[in-house]
Amino acid sequence: MIAASALVSLTLAGCNSDVSQVYSSADAAPSGKTGQVRIALLASSSQNGFNKAVYDGAVAKAKEYGDVEVTIFDGKFDSQTQFNQVQNVASQGTYDGIVLVPNDNVGIAAAIPAAAQAKIPVVTTLFPVGPDLTELKPQVEGIVSTVAANTEENSKKLAEGVVEYCEDKDPCRVAILIGQLQFPFDNLRNKAYRSVLDGHPNIKVVATGQGNYDRDTSLKAMQNILQANPKLDVVLSNADQQTIGAQVALESAGYDLSKMYVTGGGGNQEAIKQVRAGTWAADQVDFPNSMGRAALEQVVNAVRGKPVTPVIDANTLGPVPVIVTKEILDEHPDFAGEWAD
């Protein structure tokens, strides 16, 4: 658990509410609140390193204000739990705003009206909330700002590196590790990968495993993949935790990852080390601490009746491009990643 302080607390909560009216997001704070501001940060999982980094960034920004309190809720990587938490926060009258790291960005949209009626502005991070997975402009009344990047475009960029590596290999055998295909954004990532890879006859996607953003789960998934497919050239993973787990399985099976094309996603500190060493070929980098800071600023602006930036492109928040290789990291020797698993 994350340590609490006078202005920061850790809360694990969730219950139901039947509130369903909506309001215009412009009315989130019609007169602007003065004094203490309380923000609920609804993490997809409070035990996940990426979510902790979003929280840490929000806390750091809150301390700059001096009169802003942030409480984290554990979504447990469960869509219904997080849905209930939105309604609970909206109904209890304790919080002035919400920062959301959504599990199911489509399903959670139906819970936002409860916050809207309570005039609690919501800022979503990592993913937009609503039916269009690639539209960063707020799609749901109650969402006042989105701090995220275009996941489809980022995923295609990561897959394009695989195509370049596989150019002279036939067949080029690829295993994909994805978080959970039941989540809309993981499904979008997988489709984006395939839209790039399937256009090249020499590239054979021999397996797709679900790693659930967890080392142990991914280790087992890769062990199962290797039993059925003992020859692999590429591991295309959307999460660093998954790649770290897969690495254990691959090395135990005798693979030298530096001779393969192995990717991760998230840009955590271990991933950056692996890419710098040439063990992994590439990583898709996110900046969760900076995202937390930016999201906290926008939600506090909304609560206090100040101007809100509706879209902040998360790809622009860090000092390196979204896809990094050893060559790129050599040009940025001080970059270590914004979070630890």
Side-chain angles (χ1 to χ4, degrees):
M1 291 300 182
I2 301 170
S5 68
L7 290 179
V8 184
S9 61
L10 176 65
T11 304
L12 309 181
C15 68
N16 287 302
S17 171
D18 296 324
V19 179
S20 60
Q21 285 185 304
V22 300
Y23 74 106
S24 169
S25 59
D27 296 330
S31 59
K33 178 174 180 175
T34 59
Q36 186 81 5
V37 172
R38 298 176 176 85
I39 303 299
L41 192 150
L42 307 188
S44 52
S45 167
S46 68
Q47 306 307 300
N48 171 263
F50 188 98
N51 281 258
K52 289 179 181 178
V54 174
Y55 172 73
D56 289 344
V59 168
K61 187 64 179 179
K63 289 180 177 178
E64 292 179 11
Y65 288 110
D67 57 357
V68 176
E69 175 183 311
V70 182
T71 302
I72 188 170
F73 288 67
D74 185 6
K76 302 179 181 179
F77 279 135
D78 181 78
S79 300
Q80 188 60 51
T81 295
Q82 194 171 60
F83 188 100
N84 295 342
Q85 287 169 349
V86 172
Q87 295 188 322
N88 180 40
V89 168
S91 66
Q92 65 185 225
T94 302
Y95 300 98
D96 304 297
I98 293 173
V99 171
L100 176 67
V101 187
N103 277 316
D104 178 355
N105 70 300
V106 176
I108 199 72
I112 301 301
Q117 188 198 23
K119 298 191 182 301
I120 298 175
V122 179
V123 174
T124 181
T125 66
L126 188 59
F127 304 131
V129 167
D132 189 338
L133 304 184
T134 62
E135 177 56 72
L136 298 183
K137 293 180 182 178
Q139 304 171 50
V140 179
E141 290 190 272
I143 303 289
V144 298
S145 181
T146 302
V147 183
N150 188 312
T151 296
E152 183 177 46
E153 291 182 2
N154 287 352
S155 299
K156 287 181 178 180
K157 289 177 182 177
L158 195 62
E160 286 165 1
V162 174
V163 172
E164 184 176 349
Y165 170 81
C166 289
E167 186 175 4
D168 297 323
K169 291 182 179 293
D170 190 4
C172 190
R173 305 170 185 89
V174 178
I176 294 175
L177 271 183
I178 210 75
Q180 290 189 37
L181 288 173
Q182 70 183 33
F183 291 155
F185 262 94
D186 282 341
N187 192 36
L188 176 68
R189 287 185 176 109
N190 189 51
K191 288 181 178 178
Y193 295 155
R194 296 303 297 261
S195 72
V196 173
L197 302 180
D198 290 351
H200 300 270
N202 64 310
I203 297 177
K204 310 297 182 184
V205 178
V206 298
T208 300
Q210 298 186 77
N212 197 34
Y213 302 90
D214 179 76
R215 294 186 187 198
D216 292 339
T217 302
S218 300
L219 188 158
K220 293 175 183 176
M222 183 53 62
Q223 288 174 332
N224 292 336
I225 288 172
L226 289 171
Q227 285 182 355
N229 305 277
K231 292 184 179 181
L232 289 178
D233 302 293
V234 175
V235 174
L236 177 56
S237 168
N238 76 297
D240 295 334
Q241 306 97 313
Q242 294 170 176
T243 309
I244 292 168
Q247 181 171 351
V248 175
L250 288 163
E251 291 178 342
S252 296
Y255 277 89
D256 181 350
L257 272 67
S258 66
K259 296 180 180 179
M260 303 175 65
Y261 194 90
V262 177
T263 77
N268 73 21
Q269 293 167 5
E270 180 60 27
I272 298 303
K273 290 179 182 178
Q274 294 292 338
V275 176
R276 282 196 188 281
T279 309
W280 299 6
D283 197 70
Q284 179 188 316
V285 179
D286 292 309
F287 310 101
N289 190 282
S290 297
M291 291 168 64
R293 293 180 65 93
L296 195 281
E297 180 178 15
Q298 296 311 309
V299 76
V300 171
N301 283 349
V303 169
R304 290 181 168 165
K306 296 181 178 181
V308 175
T309 303
V311 175
I312 296 178
D313 183 353
N315 284 351
T316 67
L317 294 177
V320 297
V322 65
I323 306 297
V324 296
T325 61
K326 185 181 187 306
E327 292 73 21
I328 290 173
L329 291 177
D330 286 346
E331 297 172 0
H332 297 83
D334 296 329
F335 182 72
E338 286 198 353
W339 60 290
D341 182 22

